[in-house]
């Protein structure tokens, strides 16, 4: 069963492991799928939003002067995969 503590712990693990460059970037997909399939569309959408906002925040905080826009591609790809997983699970 997924609860708020699980989501907060997972977001903390993502931040500590390097965000979208870390090895745990696929773990939010499991939380999103469980939230939508078990608790409904609105809870899954809230969970998806939390992970996308945390990813954007981590990317913004790790941005350094002189980095190119290409640094945004992995974060955008992961955010898109989170949203796509939410849409697919919502359709199911």
């Amino acid at each position: 069963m997924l609860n708020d503590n699980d989501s907060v712990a997972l977001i903390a693990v993502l931040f500590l492991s390097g965000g979208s460059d870390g090895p745990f970037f696929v773990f939010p997909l499991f939380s999103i799928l469980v939230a939508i399939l078990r608790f409904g569309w609105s809870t899954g959408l809230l969970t998806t939003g939390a992970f996308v906002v945390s990813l954007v925040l981590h990317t913004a905080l790790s941005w350094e002067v002189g980095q190119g826009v290409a640094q945004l591609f992995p974060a955008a790809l992961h955010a898109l995969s989170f949203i796509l997983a939410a849409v697919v699970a919502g359709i199911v």
Side-chain angles (χ1 to χ4, degrees):
M1 177 184 235
L2 181 73
N3 60 28
D4 294 336
N5 294 334
D6 293 338
S7 297
V8 170
L10 187 54
I11 289 172
V13 167
L14 287 174
F15 271 113
L16 295 175
S17 69
S20 63
D21 295 332
F24 302 114
F25 69 90
V26 294
F27 285 173
L29 294 175
F30 300 121
S31 297
I32 290 167
L33 293 175
V34 167
I36 289 177
L37 296 175
R38 184 163 176 101
F39 300 111
W41 178 255
S42 61
T43 304
L45 195 58
L46 183 67
T47 304
T48 303
F51 285 119
V52 169
V53 166
S54 69
L55 185 63
V56 168
L57 183 64
H58 183 271
T59 303
L61 291 176
S62 65
W63 189 267
E64 294 179 9
V65 176
Q67 286 184 330
V69 179
Q71 294 295 102
L72 297 176
F73 184 71
L77 187 62
H78 294 309
L80 182 65
S81 68
F82 297 161
I83 293 168
L84 184 64
V87 168
V88 168
I91 291 172
V92 170

